[in-house]
């Protein structure tokens, strides 16, 4: 910390700070809460931030701050220290581009002001004393929008656990990792197949969820956001849940009950639900004239207390879902747990998807090229489908895209269901699916329902693997299929989080290397047609390992490199998943 005698001195001191460091200008007369300054000066998500009496700039905004210091803090050509931070912030807001806007945090009851006389200074100090900023800090550490179970059964105490972690120097990423390890131990307990193991699994799953809430609250409490942390939090949530499904299946197998098809079905359904959420949000992220009577009705219902919680519980968010899984695991069987989970998720999927379809049909919106690109990336088409998409000049009349995607996917899965294992008809259906997958993307995905294309593709690919593995009727086929779908789902989630984090889709070579969604569907269909059930199981296992290795190595390399390069920090408040 350095004191400046005048504005020229402030400029000199700022120039002496290395360009790769964050700087701040704070008025010496500032009166306010420490947490108000913390929000303004330490949040890593924003290049520039300000509250009354203080302004800060990260390295990427240092040039803008210097220009503002020279341009706006002058009176009659003479620099003055009076109200300098506020004038700098105003000048930066007037001059900087949208990429370097000045963030002004919502302070609520927190105080941040620059008194100009003894009376206002005394009043400001009284206002500071009247508000406990630590209580505000704890309260705002909790996600602003969450499920009923999380809000009332977890957050009332997990916020204090977050503070305990912050005071001991623990990072959000460390807590995220602890949550993952706890969930994996829970899955291992479930895999024992004993009642004691099931009870322990349920308790550990709840503990894992407590830690899962704590890591986000710790990030908000300590303002320690990062790109890598957001990715770890999101991907570990999926890894924890799907590993637990596998643990239930292994535990059931020890008792002589084969529920691998149910476990795989639950993973497929949950992944498709998430893709619906992601695709819909990306399609409408920056749409213009984005109005809808259905959305207006939804907002109106959210203004009535009890309907808010009913609507949040209906979609079976992660808190309610994990609580249900934990209780059912402890007191019932893996089969019943997975059956109830499938029914609950299916009903939730119908509710959310129907609502989004209605919104899309009634919404008068113009979707952007960015949204169309994001949907195309989420589609995950490989080289085979791309060859048909290249026919664009000749078949642009083939619309709408969701119909093509649905017909191709339903035809492939339906053919696999209707024919015995090894039927060459499934290969023919896969070839037709490839053509329709490419033709679905001959035009930019800007139509009202084009966001349905990626979910239809996910359901087609995953469903084909599930059906053919079940048709093989040999031990190990469904577990191998579970591993393959888990590896591919990781790739699809990774694509989502790269897009949401503003880092772009995975490189084209990666999509080509793992075949694209249509290529993998064809490979699985060919393997079922050409190989015996036992060899088909080996082929699924080999494909799962190959996809997992390629995707994981590239994903980890990318996210670690992004963190080292100083990628913008991310913290996703989004919908409870």
């Amino acid at each position: 910390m350095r004191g400046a005698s005048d504005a020229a001195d402030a400029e000199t001191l700022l120039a002496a700070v290395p360009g790769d460091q964050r700087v701040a200008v704070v008025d010496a007369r500032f009166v306010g809460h420490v947490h108000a300054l913390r929000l303004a000066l330490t949040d890593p998500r924003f290049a520039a931030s300000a509250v009354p009496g203080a302004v800060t700039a990260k390295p990427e905004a240092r040039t803008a701050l210097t220009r503002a210091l020279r341009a706006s803090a002058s009176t009659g050509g003479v620099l003055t220290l009076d109200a300098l931070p506020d004038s700098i912030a105003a000048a930066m807001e007037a001059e900087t581009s949208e990429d370097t806007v000045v963030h002004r945090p919502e302070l609520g009851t927190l105080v941040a002001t620059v008194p100009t006389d003894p009376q206002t200074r005394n009043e400001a100090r009284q206002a500071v004393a009247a508000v406990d900023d630590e209580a505000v800090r704890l309260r705002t550490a909790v996600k602003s929008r969450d499920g009923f179970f999380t809000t009332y059964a977890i957050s009332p105490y997990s916020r204090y656990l977050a503070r305990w972690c912050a005071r001991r120097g623990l990072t959000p990423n460390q807590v995220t990792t602890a949550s993952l390890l706890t969930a994996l131990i829970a899955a291992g307990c479930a895999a024992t197949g004993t009642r004691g193991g099931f009870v322990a699994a349920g308790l550990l799953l709840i503990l894992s969820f407590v830690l899962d809430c704590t890591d986000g609250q710790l990030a908000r409490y300590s303002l320690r956001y990062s790109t890598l942390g957001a990715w770890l939090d999101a991907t570990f949530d999926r890894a924890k849940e799907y590993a637990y499904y596998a643990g239930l299946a292994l535990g059931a197998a020890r008792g002589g009950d084969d529920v691998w098809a149910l476990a795989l079905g639950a993973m497929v359904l949950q992944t498709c639900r998430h893709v619906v959420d992601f695709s819909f949000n990306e399609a409408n992220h920056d749409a213009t004239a984005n109005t809808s009577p259905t959305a207006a009705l939804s907002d109106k219902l959210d203004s009535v207390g009890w309907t808010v919680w009913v609507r949040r519980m209906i979609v079976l968010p992660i808190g309610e879902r994990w609580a249900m899984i934990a209780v059912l695991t402890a007191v019932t069987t893996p089969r019943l747990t997975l059956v109830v989970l499938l029914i609950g998720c299916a009903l939730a999927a119908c509710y959310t998807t129907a609502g989004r379809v209605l919104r899309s049909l009634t919404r008068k919106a113009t979707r952007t090229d960015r949204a169309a690109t994001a949907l195309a990336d989420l589609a995950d088409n490989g080289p085979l489908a791309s060859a048909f998409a290249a026919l664009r000049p000749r078949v642009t009349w083939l619309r709408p895209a969701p119909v093509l995607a649905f017909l191709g996917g339903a035809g492939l899965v339906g053919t696999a269901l209707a024919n015995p294992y090894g039927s060459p008809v499934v290969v023919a259906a896969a070839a037709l699916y490839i053509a329709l997958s490419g033709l679905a993307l001959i035009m930019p995905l800007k139509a009202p329902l084009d966001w349905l294309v990626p979910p239809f593709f996910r359901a087609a690919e995953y469903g084909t693997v599930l059906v053919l593995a079940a048709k093989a009727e040999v031990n190990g086929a469904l577990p191998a299929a579970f591993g393959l779908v888990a590896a591919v789902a990781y790739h699809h989630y990774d694509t989502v989080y790269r897009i949401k984090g503003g880092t772009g889709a995975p490189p084209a070579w990666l999509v080509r290397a793992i075949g694209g969604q249509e290529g993998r569907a064809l490979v699985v269909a060919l393997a079922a047609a050409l190989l015996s059930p036992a060899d088909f199981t080996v082929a699924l296992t080999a494909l799962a390992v190959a996809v997992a290795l390629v995707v994981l190595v590239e994903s980890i390399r990318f996210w670690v490199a992004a963190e080292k390069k100083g990628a913008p920090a991310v913290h996703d408040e989004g919908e409870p998943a």
Side-chain angles (χ1 to χ4, degrees):
M1 183 180 294
R2 299 288 185 273
S5 57
D6 55 30
D9 189 24
E11 183 179 358
T12 301
L13 291 172
L14 288 174
V17 179
D20 60 347
Q21 294 185 17
R22 184 172 191 159
V23 296
V25 180
V26 182
D27 196 307
R29 300 164 301 170
F30 176 87
V31 174
H33 288 100
V34 173
H35 192 51
L37 276 180
R38 187 183 292 116
L39 290 171
L41 305 184
T42 66
D43 195 325
R45 294 174 296 174
F46 308 104
S49 301
V51 293
V55 62
T56 183
K58 293 176 65 179
E60 57 266 35
R62 287 278 300 273
T63 301
L65 184 144
T66 301
R67 285 200 308 267
L69 177 61
R70 292 173 179 171
S72 68
S74 60
T75 303
V78 178
L79 291 172
T80 173
L81 199 59
D82 188 48
L84 183 58
D86 294 338
S87 61
I88 291 174
M92 291 178 69
E93 287 177 320
E95 296 182 12
T96 55
S97 67
E98 292 184 0
D99 294 332
T100 318
V101 297
V102 178
H103 171 68
R104 292 186 178 272
E106 290 189 15
L107 299 180
T109 57
L110 296 176
V111 176
T113 186
V114 179
T116 56
D117 57 69
Q119 180 179 349
T120 56
R121 176 174 293 275
N122 184 57
E123 291 172 352
R125 286 175 174 172
Q126 291 177 355
V128 169
V131 176
D132 183 353
D133 67 339
E134 178 61 19
V136 174
R137 189 182 182 189
L138 270 175
R139 185 175 66 251
T140 55
V142 177
K143 186 185 289 188
S144 57
R145 176 183 173 86
D146 224 326
F148 181 86
F149 177 78
T150 305
T151 300
Y152 291 103
I154 304 296
S155 292
Y157 57 88
S158 62
R159 69 183 74 180
Y160 296 101
L161 178 59
R163 181 171 67 181
W164 183 88
C165 292
R167 290 177 174 177
R168 281 151 184 82
L170 297 177
T171 68
N173 290 353
Q174 290 172 331
V175 178
T176 300
T177 303
S179 176
L180 173 66
L181 294 176
T182 303
L184 293 179
I185 295 172
C189 291
T192 63
T194 64
R195 178 52 52 194
F198 289 147
V199 172
L203 293 174
L204 287 170
L205 187 64
I206 293 297
L207 175 59
S208 175
F209 183 64
V210 171
L211 294 174
D212 182 55
C213 294
T214 301
D215 63 3
Q217 292 165 358
L218 174 58
R220 284 181 286 271
Y221 181 86
S222 59
L223 297 175
R224 299 184 70 168
Y225 307 118
S226 70
T227 300
L228 181 63
W231 170 70
L232 288 176
D233 184 44
T235 53
F236 281 10
D237 279 351
R238 307 288 79 81
K240 288 180 285 189
E241 186 166 2
Y242 298 160
Y244 193 84
Y245 295 170
L248 288 174
L250 288 170
R254 287 181 177 272
D257 190 10
D258 186 354
V259 299
W260 275 106
L262 294 175
L264 179 51
M267 181 166 63
V268 170
L269 179 56
Q270 190 58 33
T271 304
C272 290
R273 282 188 63 198
H274 285 139
V275 175
V276 167
D277 295 342
F278 297 142
S279 296
F280 177 81
N281 290 334
E282 285 301 321
N284 296 282
H285 175 71
D286 50 4
T288 57
N290 201 356
T291 59
S292 165
T294 307
L297 175 60
S298 177
D299 293 339
K300 184 176 181 180
L301 289 174
D302 276 345
S303 66
V304 181
W306 65 271
T307 64
V308 174
W309 297 118
V310 170
R311 282 156 48 80
R312 292 186 190 178
M313 294 172 68
I314 286 175
V315 301
L316 205 63
I318 188 170
E320 277 75 359
R321 190 168 68 250
W322 282 26
M324 180 184 74
I325 294 171
V327 171
L328 289 175
T329 299
V331 301
T332 66
T333 64
R335 176 174 290 274
L336 183 58
T337 300
L338 291 169
V339 167
V340 173
L341 176 64
L342 279 166
I343 294 173
C345 286
L347 292 174
C350 291
Y351 171 79
T352 55
T353 305
R356 284 169 178 165
V357 167
L358 285 175
R359 288 191 184 196
S360 300
L361 292 175
T362 59
R363 175 174 279 155
K364 297 179 180 179
T366 301
R367 280 134 182 118
T368 64
D369 291 336
R370 175 200 169 280
T373 300
L375 291 179
D377 291 334
L378 291 173
D380 194 35
N381 274 357
L384 297 176
S386 297
F388 285 90
L391 299 174
R392 182 177 301 154
R394 302 179 184 177
V395 291
T396 53
W397 53 271
L398 278 174
R399 300 288 286 172
V403 173
L404 296 176
F406 175 79
L407 290 176
L412 177 57
V413 176
T415 302
L417 278 169
N419 290 275
Y421 173 83
S423 173
V425 179
V426 180
V427 178
L432 177 60
Y433 175 68
I434 290 172
L436 292 177
S437 294
L439 295 176
L441 268 66
I442 58 174
M443 297 289 287
L445 298 177
K446 294 184 178 182
L449 295 179
D450 281 357
W451 56 269
L452 286 169
V453 171
F456 284 155
F457 285 166
R458 295 298 83 76
E461 180 184 358
Y462 301 162
T464 299
V465 176
L466 169 58
V467 171
L468 291 178
K471 289 276 186 175
E473 296 182 345
V474 62
N475 288 337
L478 281 167
F482 189 98
L484 175 58
V485 171
V488 175
Y490 175 87
H491 163 61
H492 290 143
Y493 280 117
D494 187 54
T495 300
V496 166
Y497 299 133
R498 292 194 195 206
I499 294 172
K500 290 182 68 174
T503 54
W509 71 260
L510 176 64
V511 177
R512 289 194 298 268
I514 59 177
Q517 56 89 21
E518 83 291 353
R520 291 187 296 270
L522 177 62
V523 168
V524 173
L526 283 170
L530 299 175
L531 302 176
S532 67
D535 291 339
F536 176 66
T537 300
V538 175
L540 287 180
T541 303
L543 184 58
V545 171
V547 171
L549 285 176
V550 173
V551 169
L552 279 172
V553 169
E554 160 57 19
S555 176
I556 294 171
R557 181 210 63 78
F558 170 82
W559 288 104
V560 172
E563 186 78 359
K564 290 181 178 179
K565 291 179 181 178
V570 175
H571 186 75
D572 182 22
E573 287 284 354
E575 295 289 331

